[in-house]
Amino acid sequence: MSQTSVDELLALKREAANEIVDVDEPTVKLVIFALGGKFFAFRGQFIKEVLPGDERLFYVPGMPASVQGVINVRGDIESVILLHNLLDLPSPEEMVSGSILLGQASDMHSGIRVDELLDVVDLPLSQLQNPPESLPESLQPYVAALVDFSGKPVALLDIEKVFADYQEGLG
Amino acid sequence: MIGGSRLEQLNLPLVLVHQGQQTLALESRWVLGCHAFRSSQTAIRIVEAAHLWSQPSTAAQSRQQLMALKTSTGAWYLRFCGEVEFIELPARQLYALPDLMQARKTWPAVKALVEYQGELLVLLDALLLEQQALAVG
């Protein structure tokens, strides 16, 4: 067996360490919530903050019913909107405070009231499935993928499309 | 940050229209005056506030006021039930309407928001309000 110096061995070890392949699957962070009796999610990168639903809300007249009002988030004024109409979900019989997700995508941002924040999870990208053709027509433009959450299907929403269509007057 | 430091020195004079739980703001430069309405004032151009925005049910309990608003050629008069307040706010308490609301507003006169005593109030565009008043006659 040939003699190898400590320095050479250390160099080899460093080299070997650099060659370690990251076998971890790429993951995606999802903010999962309930709305209108269904489960949805946004990608975590588009949700800046989750606020309690009882955040003080100021009514603004002259807005469609889907605009609940505005909130003051440490000096930043954010609208708070409901997505029930846009996603063709039943309107809540009584308003639950739930949570407010502060969403930001491209140049658009707003608070989105959801019935309940369920979880924030990191899932392997491979768990995202293409949305089935049987998806309701009203959801098809907005659902980018489906994932399983505790045995229930969760529709991953495309927040950019949601905001863009909302801005155009849908919902 | 020159703009920022200049903003710190600017104030915004406003007239607040209090109607029960609802308060709306107007830039005071468009307001010529305000006084209690007298039934004899029929010769001038008066528009009911109820024709321009929905009146809170509690507003009817307040006294009737007549506000004179400036136009390029003279004045028009807004009759409403409520109280007025003249205030001046630091410019930092003026906020643009969030983009989605700007895009979706159904009342064109809604222009911006102002923060006053912990509340966020709607600032109305007096010129657009006048156009609306002209449209309703």
Side-chain angles (χ1 to χ4, degrees):
Chain A
M1 186 179 283
S2 64
Q3 294 286 313
T4 310
S5 73
V6 169
D7 287 337
E8 284 173 319
L9 284 173
L10 287 174
L12 284 171
K13 287 195 80 169
R14 276 197 297 272
E15 203 172 295
N18 287 338
E19 284 175 1
I20 290 173
V21 177
D22 184 3
V23 293
D24 286 344
E25 251 193 277
T27 59
V28 58
K29 187 181 289 296
L30 299 182
V31 178
I32 301 174
F33 57 93
L35 187 68
K38 292 186 165 68
F39 289 175
F40 296 97
F42 287 122
R43 283 180 182 257
Q45 71 198 83
F46 297 120
I47 302 300
K48 285 191 300 180
E49 196 171 343
V50 179
L51 299 170
D54 58 0
E55 192 80 15
R56 190 166 181 209
L57 185 76
F58 298 93
Y59 170 72
V60 178
M63 296 290 155
S66 56
V67 175
Q68 284 199 311
V70 288
I71 52 176
N72 187 344
V73 186
R74 298 179 293 277
D76 289 328
I77 305 302
E78 297 281 358
S79 48
V80 177
I81 62 172
L82 296 170
L83 297 181
H84 296 78
N85 278 356
L86 185 72
L87 303 177
D88 198 24
L89 300 171
S91 295
E93 287 178 9
E94 57 181 68
M95 189 52 68
V96 291
S97 59
S99 295
I100 298 170
L101 311 182
L102 283 187
Q104 174 141 30
S106 303
D107 290 335
M108 296 172 285
H109 54 90
S110 179
I112 299 166
R113 188 177 297 278
V114 301
D115 295 343
E116 186 184 359
L117 175 70
L118 297 171
D119 210 345
V120 179
V121 294
D122 289 300
L123 288 181
L125 265 176
S126 60
Q127 287 196 18
L128 301 187
Q129 302 156 19
N130 289 330
E133 288 180 6
S134 60
L135 203 66
E137 203 174 318
S138 57
L139 291 177
Q140 283 178 11
Y142 308 110
V143 176
L146 281 187
V147 291
D148 179 90
F149 174 71
S150 302
K152 292 185 175 146
V154 172
L156 173 60
L157 297 173
D158 177 347
I159 197 167
E160 288 183 310
K161 177 72 175 159
V162 165
F163 278 164
D165 280 6
Y166 189 84
Q167 194 160 11
E168 289 299 311
L170 299 179
Chain B
M1 291 302 286
I2 293 170
S5 60
R6 181 153 184 266
L7 257 184
E8 285 299 311
Q9 297 161 12
L10 296 178
N11 286 328
L12 180 64
L14 297 171
V15 174
L16 302 185
V17 176
H18 298 290
Q19 295 185 292
Q21 296 293 311
Q22 178 172 271
T23 299
L24 299 169
L26 286 160
E27 282 182 87
S28 62
R29 67 190 173 113
W30 297 106
V31 180
L32 295 170
C34 190
H35 55 76
F37 173 73
R38 294 184 298 276
S39 56
S40 59
Q41 292 170 303
T42 53
I44 54 177
R45 187 179 139 216
I46 298 175
V47 176
E48 297 284 342
H51 292 155
L52 304 183
W53 67 82
S54 61
Q55 303 291 290
S57 56
T58 48
Q61 297 160 9
S62 312
R63 63 183 179 140
Q64 287 207 328
Q65 306 257 18
L66 201 62
M67 181 182 284
L69 289 143
K70 189 159 58 176
T71 69
S72 54
T73 55
W76 66 284
Y77 294 83
L78 181 68
R79 189 168 76 171
F80 62 95
C81 295
E83 300 297 330
V84 292
E85 184 182 1
F86 293 83
I87 63 165
E88 197 164 283
L89 289 181
R92 66 173 180 275
Q93 286 172 239
L94 169 70
Y95 299 95
L97 208 58
D99 291 344
L100 287 188
M101 295 173 83
Q102 186 67 34
R104 293 295 305 270
K105 67 183 180 184
T106 54
W107 185 12
V110 174
K111 183 176 188 170
L113 300 165
V114 291
E115 186 183 4
Y116 178 59
Q117 295 184 338
E119 305 278 335
L120 284 171
L121 310 176
V122 168
L123 173 64
L124 297 177
D125 184 321
L127 292 178
L128 291 179
L129 201 62
E130 184 201 354
Q131 285 179 20
Q132 193 186 349
L134 284 171
V136 299

